[in-house]
């Protein structure tokens, strides 16, 4: 089997443990370079856009006060000095303080990460379980009305804009039916020191609507991928052979077909998970969900550079980690990949 | 549509109860949930002078007087104030007031608070404009404060309304971080803060030892919801009790809902156009063939007047704003101290405008691009489009460009626009003049937002004279005169005054809005 091309890293020649370790270390090393490049691009971009001071100062501020604010944020320095200072501090783990909130930018982003992660995880769970189940059904009944209905539904799911779906969900399930609350995260519960709204009933009620909204596009994608994969696999030699051996259809489907279908799916799901985190922005804004996405939108709006930089670096790092995990999972599911 | 929706809602209510017994939207009594666009970016009341902070933190910290954006301020921690001599104001403080930890409130706290204001590091916008003219404080006893100025300054009682009062005992050396962690979030106000999530929500409980009227709400939530559509849905579904800011396009739906009460309340915000009347050549101006103009027509006051006369302000209010606003003919709202009702309307007169253009030597007009922010003022991009349309009708072919505020204001200050639109919201007419139209000067700090560098000696003199005139009637006359000079010369073109919109669940809450647009639990009454 050829090397998977979606991941940024090369395929390592052998699955043996030290090699895997080396591979992980090399990939993490590359991520440092990536983070550096990222910070430079974001820094430059925000610098080119301008500075937020005029948006922030009071309407009665004099020019001297405006200048003083600019100086307090170091925005009066040349770009190279500003970036140099940022890098020096970043080496000590300090990504600067938010211009707006006066809190360390990294801590601010991380404090919001829990809310976003639980939202993305819930969405991922919905998308994969529902997507695979419906995809398999669609594959088994590819000529029947059920299969066709699922496939048309999935096109709808892919093409509807999140914003619109979110508002519609609010109208249906919150306003008309009154089943779920419209806004916010609800009560959080502590399990092993992790505070999450997934651990309380109130929290779960709050997460249903935003998670479903966020999951919609991915559910549709998963349905389509599962179906096309399953249709192909169902006609392959080994399935025919399994049938000939008299294996139960359920066992063929759940063990042999599913396993073959899962391999390409994992790549997509991995990439999509990063996407769910990064693009929860719209969903969080609609449902006033206090996650990173809402924070970054607010920060971009007022050019809060430390937060923008910190957020994007966290996201890049998450993408790197997710890709790495996907690659490792991939080897686990199909040992041939490491061996080639 | 409405009846169908209500029917669905009724049906849903029963279905909801069946599916999730005991999980309705019912809220505990005495709890008020307010949905606003933004919540504070810090709990330090001296950290950032911005609407959402001043509004939210006033639940926790008091000020000497209340500024609601009306003709006068009202007593709060100061029971009375008077002018002792031309340079001295005396404030008599309320007795028997304590901070929520039991520390008594005394005159030294006022001095401490005012002196703390300029010392906050890394502030995005300090409160110094309100304290810097007070040069000396005296506290003859624990309940009297004397404030001295170098020159006669009539606005001391208005300025002190912006400085929230801390304790010299509790807050000595307290940093902004100490406030944000709620360690020293201790005030004399009607509520205590129990939880703060930056950019998301603030939780408050009633201060049982409050010196003023007992508050009807045992607990209050201020929730940030950026999307106006979501705010409205959350209100309609019962997740919120009061919201500020209904989008104009949702107005009809909100007003048609029998469960809601929607009010439009005039704000102090003036939306205005600022033309470049000073440079010989201004950017984004072209002749009809598309070549850049070698002269700037807007240097001529007649041309500026023609542009201003071409705008049908009433149509903008009616159609673009769905009646959520009023035509503006001066740079102050009618509730502002210093508003002059005798300043005439600017007539909508496209024929007269064309004539003026011809007189000024531009009978065929020219081409230009004008700019405005998007998402800064309600419907800003649509207002700008309407203005561009009106200009085009008198032969000035205008295209419009709306820009994200983060980029926009920097460019406007760099003078990259020949004519731009923005808004200004202050409770005093003199501040509109002083910040926007008075000659910009780095030395004195005047005219900080005079982005097109307009300059008019006659106007400057009148404003400065008004600024040190203690007699209110005399002062208002001078401000009116200065405003008239600015309007006669068309230094800027006021377009509309906006209104603030508030919606409540009729059965639960009545909201008594004020011109400055405060989102205060103190203004909400249970029904």
């Amino acid at each position: 089997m050829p090397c998977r091309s979606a991941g940024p890293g090369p395929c390592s020649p052998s699955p043996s443990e030290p090699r895997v370790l080396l591979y992980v270390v090399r990939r993490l090393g590359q991520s440092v370079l990536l983070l550096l490049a990222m910070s430079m691009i974001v820094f430059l971009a925000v610098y080119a856009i301008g500075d937020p001071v005029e948006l922030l100062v009071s309407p009665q501020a004099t020019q001297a006060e405006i200048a003083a604010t600019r100086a307090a944020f170091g925005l009066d320095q040349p770009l190279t000095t500003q970036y140099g200072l940022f890098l020096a501090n970043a080496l000590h783990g300090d990504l600067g303080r938010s211009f707006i909130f006066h809190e360390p930018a990294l801590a601010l982003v991380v404090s919001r990460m829990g809310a976003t992660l639980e939202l993305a995880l819930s969405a991922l769970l919905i998308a994969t379980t529902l997507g695979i189940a419906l995809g398999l059904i669609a594959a088994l009944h590819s000529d029947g009305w059920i299969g066709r209905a699922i496939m048309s539904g999935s096109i709808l799911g892919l093409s509807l804009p999140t914003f619109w779906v979110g508002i519609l969900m609010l109208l249906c399930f919150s306003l008309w039916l009154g089943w779920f609350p419209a806004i916010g995260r609800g009560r959080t519960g502590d399990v092993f020191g992790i505070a999450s709204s997934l651990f309380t009933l109130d929290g779960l009620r709050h997460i249903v609507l935003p998670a479903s909204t966020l999951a919609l596009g991915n559910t549709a994608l998963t349905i389509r991928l599962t179906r096309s994969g399953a249709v192909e696999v169902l006609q392959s030699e080994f399935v025919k052979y399994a049938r000939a051996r008299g294996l139960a259809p359920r066992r063929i489907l759940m063990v042999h077909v599913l396993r073959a279908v899962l391999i390409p799916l994992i790549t997509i799901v991995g990439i999509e998970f990063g996407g769910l985190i990064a693009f929860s922005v719209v969903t969080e804004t609609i449902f006033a969900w206090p996650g990173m996405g809402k924070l970054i939108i607010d920060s971009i709006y007022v050019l809060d550079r430390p937060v923008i930089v910190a957020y994007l670096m966290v996201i890049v790092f998450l993408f790197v980690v997710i890709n790495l995990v996907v690659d490792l999972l991939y080897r686990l599911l199909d040992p041939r990949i490491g061996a080639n | 549509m409405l009846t169908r929706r209500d029917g669905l809602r009724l049906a849903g209510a029963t279905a909801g109860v069946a599916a999730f017994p005991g999980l309705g939207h019912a809220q505990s009594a005495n709890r008020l949930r307010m949905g606003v666009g933004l919540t504070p970016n810090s709990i330090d009341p001296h950290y950032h002078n911005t609407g959402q902070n001043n509004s939210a933190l006033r639940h926790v910290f008091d000020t000497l007087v209340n500024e609601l954006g009306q003709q006068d301020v009202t007593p709060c921690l100061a029971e009375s104030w008077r002018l002792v001599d031309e340079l001295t104001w005396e404030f008599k403080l309320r007795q028997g007031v304590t901070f929520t930890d039991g520390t008594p409130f005394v005159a030294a706290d006022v001095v401490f608070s005012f002196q703390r204001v300029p010392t906050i590091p890394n502030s995005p916008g300090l409160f110094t404009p309100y304290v810097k003219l007070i040069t000396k404080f005296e506290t003859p006893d624990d309940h009297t404060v004397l404030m001295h100025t170098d020159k006669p300054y009539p606005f001391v009682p208005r300025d002190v309304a912006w400085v929230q009062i801390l304790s010299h005992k509790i807050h000595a050396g307290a940093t902004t971080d100490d406030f944000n962690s709620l360690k020293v979030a201790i005030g004399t106000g009607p509520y205590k803060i129990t939880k703060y999530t930056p950019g998301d929500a603030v939780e408050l409980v009633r201060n049982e030892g409050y010196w003023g009227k007992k508050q009807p709400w045992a607990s209050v939530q201020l929730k940030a919801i950026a999307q106006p559509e979501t705010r409205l849905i959350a209100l309609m579904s019962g997740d919120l009790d009061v919201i500020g800011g209904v989008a104009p396009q949702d107005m009809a739906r909100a007003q048609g809902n029998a469960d809601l009460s929607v009010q439009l309340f005039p704000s102090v915000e003036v939306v205005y156009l600022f033309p470049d009347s000073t440079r010989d050549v201004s950017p984004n101006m072209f002749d009809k063939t598309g070549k850049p103009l070698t002269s700037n027509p807007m240097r001529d006051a007649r041309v500026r007047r023609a542009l201003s006369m071409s705008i049908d302000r009433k149509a903008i209010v009616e159609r673009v704003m769905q009646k959520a606003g009023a035509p503006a003919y001066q740079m102050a709202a009618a509730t502002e101290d210093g508003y002059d009702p005798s300043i005439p309307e600017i007539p909508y007169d496209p024929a007269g405008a064309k004539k003026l253009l011809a007189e000024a030597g531009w009978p065929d007009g020219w081409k230009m691009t004008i700019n405005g922010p998007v998402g800064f003022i309600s419907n800003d991009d649509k207002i700008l489009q309407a203005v561009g349309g009106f200009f085009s009708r008198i032969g000035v072919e205008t295209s419009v460009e709306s820009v994200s505020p983060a980029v926009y204001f920097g460019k406007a200050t760099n003078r990259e626009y020949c004519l731009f639109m923005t808004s200004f919201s202050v409770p005093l007419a003199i501040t509109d003049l002083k910040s926007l139209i008075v000659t910009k000067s780095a030395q004195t700090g005047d005219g900080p937002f005079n982005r097109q560098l307009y300059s008019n000696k006659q106007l400057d003199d009148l404003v400065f004279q008004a600024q040190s005139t203690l007699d209110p009637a005399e002062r208002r006359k001078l401000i009116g005169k200065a405003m008239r000079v600015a309007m006669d010369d068309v230094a800027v073109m006021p377009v509309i005054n906006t209104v603030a919109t508030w919606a409540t669940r009729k059965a639960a809450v009545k909201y008594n809005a004020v011109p400055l647009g405060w989102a205060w639990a103190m203004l909400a009454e249970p029904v």
Side-chain angles (χ1 to χ4, degrees), chain B residues 112 116 168 170-175 178:
Chain B
F112 167 78
R116 182 175 182 265
H168 76 287
I170 307 166
H171 299 108
T175 62
D178 294 335

Side-chain angles (χ1 to χ4, degrees), chain A residues 30-283:
Chain A
Q30 285 167 354
S31 77
V32 172
L33 284 179
L34 203 60
L35 285 173
L36 193 71
M38 185 74 200
S39 71
M40 209 181 300
I41 292 167
V42 177
F43 223 86
L44 258 174
V46 179
Y47 182 83
I49 292 170
D51 76 53
V53 171
E54 298 218 16
L55 266 181
L56 301 176
V57 294
S58 89
Q60 299 202 337
T62 61
Q63 279 180 277
E65 282 149 5
I66 296 172
T69 304
R70 202 163 271 143
F73 293 156
L75 295 169
D76 54 341
Q77 305 287 325
L79 177 63
T80 44
T81 318
Q82 290 186 41
Y83 187 65
L85 205 64
F86 164 80
L87 275 189
N89 288 332
L91 285 178
H92 299 95
D94 174 11
L95 296 184
R97 268 178 184 253
S98 159
F99 294 160
I100 309 298
F101 293 108
H102 197 266
E103 313 231 339
L106 188 62
L108 200 61
V109 171
V110 169
S111 76
R112 298 299 194 85
M113 201 151 82
T116 295
L117 281 181
E118 76 190 18
L119 188 62
L121 274 173
S122 309
L124 192 72
L125 197 72
I126 295 173
T128 40
T129 48
L130 210 62
I132 291 175
L134 290 176
L136 285 179
I137 293 172
L140 287 177
H141 304 274
S142 52
D143 295 327
W145 66 269
I146 295 187
R148 280 203 292 273
I150 290 175
M151 292 318 281
S152 338
S154 73
I155 290 183
L156 214 60
L158 274 180
S159 47
L160 292 178
T162 318
F163 186 82
W164 190 81
V165 173
I167 296 279
L168 207 70
M169 289 258 195
L170 276 178
L171 282 174
C172 279
F173 296 105
S174 187
L175 189 54
W176 295 342
L177 299 175
W179 290 356
F180 302 108
I183 47 160
R185 193 183 176 195
R187 209 163 288 131
T188 55
D190 270 333
V191 172
F192 304 123
I194 300 167
S196 168
S197 59
L198 296 176
F199 304 140
T200 70
L201 191 60
D202 182 55
L204 284 174
R205 286 184 67 232
H206 278 85
I207 208 169
V208 171
L209 288 187
S212 309
T213 305
L214 189 58
L216 190 73
N218 279 352
T219 311
L221 189 70
T222 313
I223 289 175
R224 300 188 75 79
L225 283 171
T226 310
R227 179 194 172 268
S228 63
V231 165
E232 199 178 306
V233 174
L234 280 171
Q235 285 157 4
S236 65
E237 296 295 325
F238 79 88
V239 172
K240 285 181 189 156
Y241 180 65
R243 283 211 189 97
R245 271 183 63 200
L247 288 182
R250 169 183 290 260
R251 188 177 159 77
I252 296 177
L253 189 69
M254 298 312 281
V255 176
H256 300 282
V257 176
L258 193 59
R259 190 177 173 124
V261 170
L262 269 185
I263 293 173
L265 254 184
I266 288 225
T267 317
I268 299 296
V269 165
I271 292 170
E272 288 296 315
F273 181 59
L276 284 176
I277 293 172
F279 301 120
S280 62
V281 173
V282 179
T283 311

Side-chain angles (χ1 to χ4, degrees), chain B residues 219-418:
Chain B
S219 71
V220 174
Q221 178 189 44
L222 304 174
K223 172 84 181 164
I225 303 170
Q227 284 300 324
E229 295 89 348
T230 309
R231 269 201 305 267
L232 184 60
I233 291 173
L235 178 74
M236 288 161 84
S237 66
D239 288 318
L240 293 172
D241 305 307
V242 184
I243 60 167
V246 178
Q249 62 270 19
D250 291 334
M251 227 31 215
R253 187 154 69 113
Q255 283 169 329
N257 187 310
D259 295 335
L260 302 187
S261 155
V262 181
Q263 51 167 323
L264 302 178
F265 199 89
S267 77
V268 293
E269 184 178 47
V270 188
V271 179
Y272 67 99
L273 304 169
F274 206 154
D276 177 2
S277 59
T278 52
R279 279 180 294 182
D280 289 332
V281 177
S282 199
N284 300 341
M285 301 182 90
F286 310 94
D287 66 14
K288 295 262 170 154
T289 63
K291 273 196 273 257
L293 284 187
T294 50
S295 63
N296 173 3
M298 292 191 298
R299 293 197 61 177
D300 190 326
R302 286 172 298 183
V303 170
R304 301 199 293 275
R305 173 153 301 276
L307 290 174
S308 187
M309 277 163 60
S310 77
I311 302 168
D312 186 349
R313 292 169 169 80
K314 286 172 185 151
I316 292 181
V317 170
E318 284 285 318
R319 279 172 236 150
V320 179
M321 302 306 285
Q322 309 285 322
K323 300 198 177 118
Y329 305 112
Q330 60 182 294
M331 286 302 295
T335 48
E336 287 180 37
D337 181 11
Y339 171 85
D340 185 346
S342 72
I343 288 177
E345 283 191 13
I346 302 163
Y348 167 55
D349 182 4
K354 270 190 176 161
K355 221 176 344 176
L356 270 177
L357 281 187
E359 253 176 57
W362 295 91
D364 300 322
W366 63 91
K367 270 189 190 177
M368 67 174 173
T369 302
I370 62 174
N371 293 79
V374 57
F376 182 70
I377 312 160
S378 165
N379 266 346
D380 41 15
D381 50 337
K382 296 188 188 94
I383 301 173
L384 192 71
Q385 265 167 25
V387 167
F390 289 125
F391 286 175
S392 297
R393 280 192 211 168
I394 60 163
V396 181
E397 277 177 47
T398 305
S399 46
V400 300
E401 205 180 87
S402 292
V403 184
S404 160
V407 183
Y408 176 71
F409 290 103
K411 287 198 169 187
T413 302
N414 282 340
R415 307 198 77 191
E416 290 178 33
Y417 305 138
C418 63

Side-chain angles (χ1 to χ4, degrees), chain B residues 470-485:
Chain B
L470 292 168
D471 177 59
E474 186 63 26
R475 182 175 68 239
R476 283 175 189 144
K477 223 157 72 191
L478 285 167
I479 296 169
K481 239 175 167 175
M483 186 70 79
R484 197 178 282 261
V485 170

